[in-house]
Structures are given as C-alpha cells and as structure tokens.
Amino acid sequence: TMVFAMSTKVFEYRAAVLILGLLALGGCKGQDDDDDDTGIVQSGYHNNGNRYFHPKESSSFQLVKLGNVNVTFLDHTNLLGYDGQDFIKLGKYSVETRLGMITSCNSANFNDVDGIIGFGWADQNRSAAILKTLTQDARPSWNIKQPDNYHVMPRKFAFTATEELGELQLGGYDPASIDQPMQMFPMAGFAYGVNVTSIRYGETELLDFVVGHDAYVGEFDSGTTCLLIPNTTVNGTFRDSPFMKLLGRQNMGETFPLIYTIGGQQFEIAYEECVEPASKAMILGDPWFRKWIVMHDLSDLKHKKMGLALRSPSYRLGIETDDDGGPRLSSFTPLSKLRADRSVRPMALAMTQARYNGVSLPAAEGPVDKVALK
C-alpha cells in the first residue's frame, strides 16, 4: 500500500481548470533506474529522492492500462504514463482507488513525483476523482468495494494555506480555524466557482456588465499564484476589458485593494497581491487561500456550495489530526486534517505594473504547480 504526499507549487499563466493542489506520489525512478514491475522505464526526468512509492514494492498494486495518461500543461510540460490501482491513505481515510502514474515527463518541474491526482469533482461512473472514491463505499465500475469498516467521508472539504504550508481539511472544516462564521454561496460554473457581481478598485468598477449580464463566474484554484482577470470583453459580457481598466488606474498611480462582491458580501484582496490577465477566465487564486478558509460543500449534488471564512490569526496550519493509523470505530469523527509542504514563490508585486512596464520578473525557484488544459 502507499501513502500520498501533497505537493503544492506554482507557475505563472494558467487555464481555468481547477486542480486543488497536486497529490504527489513521490519517489518514481530516475532515467538510470531499472524497469519496475509494469515493464516500463520511468524516464525523462530525474527522481533521486526515492521517498514514497514504487509499484513493485506494493503487494496490492494493480496495472490497469498502459499509455492511458497524457496530460499537457500551459507551459507545454507533458506527462505520459499509465493507470494503476492501489490503496491510498489521506489522514484517517484509507481507500482503494485508481490513479495516474507518470512514466516520463519533458520537464524537471515534476522531479520526485510519481503521479498526479486532483480534488476536482466529476460524477461520471468511471470518473477518476479521488473525492468520488472517498465519499462512497464502492466504485462498481472499477469492481472496487471498500472494507466493511470504512467510514465514508462527507462530501465536503476545505483548504487554506500560507506560502510555506497548506492544509487540507477533509469531511468539513475545523471551527477552530475560522475567525468569523462560514459564509456559504451557491457553486457556479463547471468547477469550484462562485458568481462575482462586482470588483471595485477604489472608485472604479472593473466589471462593467452590458445589459443582460449581472455576474461572472470566478473559479477558486489554489494552484494559481495570482488573481486572473479577463483581458477582453468576453464576447460582449463587459463594455470594457476589466484587466485593462485596472492597469489604466494603476498607471495613474492609484494603489487600492481589490474589493470582490460575492452573494452580496464583500471580500478585500490587498494591493500587493499580483494580478495577471486572462482571455476569459476569472481565477480566484492563491491569495484567497492564504487569507480565508475555502470550503467546498458537495453534500447535496443538486445544490453544491462554496464557503468562505476569514482564517483565525491564531490558527496554526499543518497540525495533522490523524497520523496514528486512524481512530477506532466508536471514536470516529469525520473531520481529518492533512499538512502540505509548499514551494510557493512569493508574489509581492504591485499587481500588474512591473510586468507591463517591461521589468524582468525573477524566475521561479524550485518546482512549480500545474493546472491542466481541458
């Protein structure tokens, strides 16, 4: 069996597909290592850590399908691999599931990573979503039945982070982590999004909707370093480009926070956080997770919700609740917290001005997170 480690990293231009961090199966073989028991040489990038998982060392690992993993990211990083099946342990939850294993990659950004698995949701029978596996007692399409003593995880989770640590709260959120009541909003769009009705920068409204439009979906993504704002009118949704309106005001010397309005509630993002343009996407990136506890509630699939609560300044991230093999049945509680070490490059820039004035930005140090193209 194996235990997943979470890796959360960053890069600069993203698509709007949410992968809530990457669950990294570190320890895949380098290009000089021997074949594993699948008959595949794991090559194309080095991994000298050998810290986590090797298929041949797991008595429960099963090869599902060769050549079934082919993922390309926005910076042209390409992952190739195969589908496998094994037991994973996340906090107190241990399940058998399928996963994508990496056999080769054209970038060192995935050094020390054996595979990827995201926390996106898809309700298809054969969906590889780990959230689907955790929240039911079987995956009939895969002929998987969890052990009789498995406690199904409530279909909700929360995530919050600093630049050094992230924390995934499975089955709900920790009340001790919040400094105000959790505010819930209807989930919108195709991923973990909410309807944003306004973004103000000082006295300037950035979302100047045309008649017939009154909201735009902002998608939460902890893997996106910055805030992304549309740099077009998005097929006539806006009268002007929201990003260019922001850039224009900044070039006039204005230094205001961004005020987002969601469900009638206002949320302030500091001026120092970076903002980047996107053709259509509005991404509520890492700055949101560093300030708030972000709740994802799919308990009722017909009425999915997102939640936001200011994180308590006294709350200590990364104190895991379940590293002792899990509780007995009589003492089982659904909430489970997992620590995630992060390699996030600080983005303390005056939003957009440096990039658009031709200033060269420092290269990212260390590995980087990815958001996959659809």
Side-chain angles (χ1 to χ4, degrees):
T1 61
M2 60 184 172
V3 177
F4 282 4
M6 180 174 285
S7 170
T8 316
K9 315 163 190 176
V10 298
F11 84 116
E12 290 182 359
Y13 290 101
R14 312 291 207 302
V17 182
L18 181 139
I19 297 180
L20 186 72
L22 297 178
L23 297 183
L25 313 182
C28 54
K29 298 180 184 300
Q31 57 188 13
D32 296 326
D33 290 326
D34 296 331
D35 291 5
D36 62 21
D37 58 344
T38 65
I40 301 171
V41 178
Q42 299 186 355
S43 61
Y45 63 109
H46 83 75
N47 185 335
N48 299 319
N50 294 324
R51 293 175 297 173
Y52 296 116
F53 177 66
H54 298 284
K56 68 180 181 181
E57 296 176 3
S58 172
S59 61
S60 54
F61 180 82
Q62 300 178 50
L63 173 64
V64 176
K65 186 176 182 179
L66 293 173
N68 207 38
V69 174
N70 188 342
V71 179
T72 300
F73 300 99
L74 276 170
D75 65 349
H76 306 297
T77 296
N78 178 247
L79 303 177
L80 298 176
Y82 60 93
D83 285 339
Q85 181 172 313
D86 209 332
F87 289 89
I88 68 165
K89 186 175 187 298
L90 290 174
K92 67 181 64 173
Y93 296 100
S94 179
V95 293
E96 186 175 10
T97 192
R98 290 188 178 180
L99 56 146
M101 303 298 296
I102 301 171
T103 57
S104 64
C105 178
N106 62 359
S107 170
N109 291 332
F110 274 81
N111 287 349
D112 298 325
V113 177
D114 252 342
I116 61 173
I117 185 167
F119 256 71
W121 172 259
D123 200 28
Q124 292 82 8
N125 286 337
R126 300 183 68 83
S127 165
I130 185 62
L131 190 58
K132 189 175 180 68
T133 303
L134 291 168
T135 57
Q136 46 191 62
D137 62 6
R139 297 298 304 267
S141 296
W142 296 343
N143 295 317
I144 290 177
K145 177 71 169 66
Q146 306 303 343
D148 291 339
N149 63 351
Y150 177 67
H151 286 259
V152 172
M153 188 187 96
R155 199 183 297 116
K156 50 189 175 181
F157 65 94
F159 188 74
T160 190
T162 65
E163 289 182 347
E164 295 79 30
L165 291 175
E167 184 173 280
L168 180 62
Q169 301 180 359
L170 298 174
Y173 67 92
D174 183 355
S177 66
I178 63 176
D179 201 37
Q180 61 180 202
M182 183 68 71
Q183 301 179 74
M184 304 300 296
F185 308 99
M187 198 177 291
F190 297 102
Y192 296 133
V194 289
N195 281 321
V196 178
T197 56
S198 171
I199 305 177
R200 295 195 67 83
Y201 184 71
E203 297 300 318
T204 302
E205 174 58 60
L206 302 183
L207 303 185
D208 188 6
F209 292 105
V210 302
V211 175
H213 298 270
D214 56 11
Y216 198 77
V217 174
E219 296 184 345
F220 290 96
D221 180 16
S222 65
T224 300
T225 312
C226 301
L227 309 168
L228 268 60
I229 294 179
N231 193 29
T232 68
T233 64
V234 191
N235 300 321
T237 301
F238 309 108
R239 291 185 175 87
D240 303 291
S241 157
F243 180 83
M244 292 308 295
K245 291 181 73 172
L246 172 62
L247 183 62
R249 303 309 298 185
Q250 288 189 345
N251 286 338
M252 294 172 63
E254 295 183 356
T255 57
F256 298 107
L258 287 173
I259 309 296
Y260 288 71
T261 300
I262 302 168
Q265 304 296 314
Q266 293 186 337
F267 300 89
E268 179 177 313
I269 298 289
Y271 169 78
E272 289 75 18
E273 300 290 359
C274 65
V275 177
E276 294 184 342
S279 59
K280 295 181 179 180
M282 180 186 294
I283 302 297
L284 312 180
D286 197 63
W288 287 80
F289 295 87
R290 286 190 276 108
K291 186 171 183 178
W292 288 282
I293 304 291
V294 181
M295 176 73 171
H296 309 67
D297 188 346
L298 297 90
S299 302
D300 183 347
L301 292 177
K302 294 183 178 179
H303 301 92
K304 300 187 289 290
K305 297 178 181 179
M306 297 296 302
L308 288 167
L310 194 66
R311 189 173 70 226
S312 171
S314 62
Y315 182 70
R316 295 178 58 200
L317 273 71
I319 307 300
E320 294 190 60
T321 58
D322 316 293
D323 56 2
D324 59 353
R328 298 180 182 276
L329 298 185
S330 60
S331 63
F332 186 88
T333 56
L335 184 66
S336 182
K337 298 192 296 184
L338 288 82
R339 170 192 174 108
D341 293 315
R342 312 189 85 202
S343 299
V344 177
R345 174 166 56 97
M347 295 297 293
L349 304 173
M351 287 198 172
T352 58
Q353 291 188 67
R355 184 183 303 281
Y356 274 77
N357 288 339
V359 177
S360 177
L361 300 180
E365 297 180 0
V368 296
D369 254 1
K370 307 294 176 181
V371 176
L373 293 167
K374 289 183 178 178

